[in-house]
Amino acid sequence: MNPQRRALLRAGSLAAALPLAAGAGSAAAASAALAPPLPPLPAVPAGTTPEVLASNQAYWQAVAAQYDTTDAIVQLDNAYWGAMARPVLRHYEQQLAMVNRDNAWYARMRFPADFEAARAAAARALGVASDEIVLTRGATEALQVLIAGYNRLRPGDTVLYADIDYDNMITVTRWLQQRRGVQVVSIAMPEPFAHDNVVAAYVAAMESQPTLKLMLLTHVNHRNGMVLPVAEISRLARARGIDVIVDTAHGFGQLDMTIPDLQADFAGINLHKWIGAPVGVGAAYVKRGRLADIDPYLGEKAGDDIRTRVHTGTVNFAAYLSLPTALDLHAQIGVANKQARLRLLRNRWVEAARGIDGIEVLASGDPRLTSAIASFRLRGKTSVADSYALSKKLVQQHGIFAVPRDGLASGACVRVTPGIFTPESHMDRLVDALRKVARG
């Protein structure tokens, strides 16, 4: 058992035996005393579908009013992390003050129970059991634990990743060659991408690699936003005895899904992107019955508690305490409504940009492959330098912030990501800027 977990368990047993000091209390009690109720959102008219609500300007203006946003720039890089809504930020600030005041007394005596309450809230939202997830500092930490700790590989086995996968996850996957003595191979997604072609690319890889034992699948990739048909690919892999580890850092929270929908036994999750929890909150998922296939953290004693697979050390207490508040607001808006609104904003600029001569849009027209994220480049300008120059021009000449991304087999691009608080006028400003940039 890791030292932090051991200390938390001991603290929990002591808490019941010790009197509560004046001014010290649980985060729940502090929250009840200090945090105002969530600002009301207008009720969604009965029978209104997410697709209809997506165009309801009054509703989304009320949602946007929950957020503090900058007017210094048109912010179209909302995939880095999700801004906290005002009620979440207020709760976070209150919890930070409480933890700072009560210090080790709170951390050792009361935090273990509050942390478990946050984990239970996350598990409910994810559609899994509490003992199937461990909270982490983000999807990167979660996936590092899963990929590096996956222990069913033997020398000579093959591991697969794709060009759409996240840079650090590719690095860890390649590291398995040193750690496990495996062969690591990569594939490139076809462009323009279509559902059947993407699935076919993975099937071809499975058929051409008879020793393939593990695949990294990115649910929604951070380069061009394609939604990978993870469930379909996972079922095909399972039938061949191949495990998959899913990176759903950009999937959970913006797509109407839960973890079991992925049909995968292992997943890394972000809760500070599309959920809008404070930065530094994520989770690793291991399906019940599969924990033995992930090594305990360095030097930890093997056991049946998923928390032995991560050793974060001293955590940002307030960030975890604010997770349930973020999940409450997320549920209040509704993930299906979020997805529909983000798709409307994405399609508003993507469809217009497709008609601009000289602009190459990296986005599918298939709704099954569509997320909030999409990308573009100047036609024929595929170098990293080209994309950085294009991003710089958008900032300096048009006041629009969109970020360059590298790593696709076809070349670099500029990523555009609206948030649920983004007005449609910002997408129109981007389209106008693209017309001017394309003309030179």
Side-chain angles (χ1 to χ4, degrees), residues 210-291:
T211 60
L212 185 58
K213 292 296 187 293
L214 179 67
M215 296 195 304
L216 173 63
L217 301 180
T218 299
H219 189 194
V220 177
N221 83 79
H222 77 296
R223 305 182 198 281
N224 59 30
M226 179 183 71
V227 177
L228 194 69
V230 167
E232 186 173 349
I233 297 168
S234 293
R235 285 192 291 266
L236 292 169
R238 181 177 288 111
R240 293 167 167 82
I242 302 167
D243 269 327
V244 301
I245 295 175
V246 178
D247 175 351
T248 187
H250 281 293
F252 181 73
Q254 71 146 315
L255 302 183
D256 188 7
M257 49 75 65
T258 57
I259 296 302
D261 295 332
L262 300 175
Q263 296 291 305
D265 294 349
F266 310 99
I269 302 142
N270 248 324
L271 298 167
H272 63 225
K273 286 188 183 290
W274 300 98
I275 295 297
V279 171
V281 184
Y285 163 76
V286 179
K287 186 177 181 179
R288 189 176 290 165
R290 296 302 308 272
L291 189 60

Side-chain angles (χ1 to χ4, degrees), residues 183-202:
Q183 176 188 11
V184 179
V185 299
S186 65
I187 59 173
M189 290 295 96
E191 289 189 17
F193 47 88
H195 178 277
D196 292 350
N197 290 346
V198 168
V199 174
Y202 280 95

Side-chain angles (χ1 to χ4, degrees), residues 93-178:
E93 291 170 338
Q94 291 165 351
Q95 300 312 303
L96 188 62
M98 180 274 293
V99 171
N100 188 61
R101 180 194 68 219
D102 293 352
N103 204 268
W105 170 253
Y106 170 75
R108 295 186 188 280
M109 296 297 107
R110 299 302 177 191
F111 179 65
D114 291 337
F115 181 80
E116 286 308 302
R119 184 165 76 128
R124 287 192 296 272
L126 291 163
V128 301
S130 291
D131 64 357
E132 294 180 303
I133 66 165
V134 56
L135 296 181
T136 66
R137 290 171 293 188
T140 294
E141 182 175 59
L143 288 159
Q144 287 172 338
V145 165
L146 294 173
I147 296 169
Y150 181 80
N151 59 30
R152 299 190 67 189
L153 297 171
R154 300 293 179 267
D157 288 344
T158 300
V159 177
L160 179 81
Y161 71 87
D163 65 330
I164 57 172
D165 294 326
Y166 190 65
D167 308 73
N168 186 260
M169 301 309 89
I170 291 175
T171 298
V172 179
T173 301
R174 288 173 175 167
W175 178 71
L176 290 175
Q177 188 165 358
Q178 304 171 40

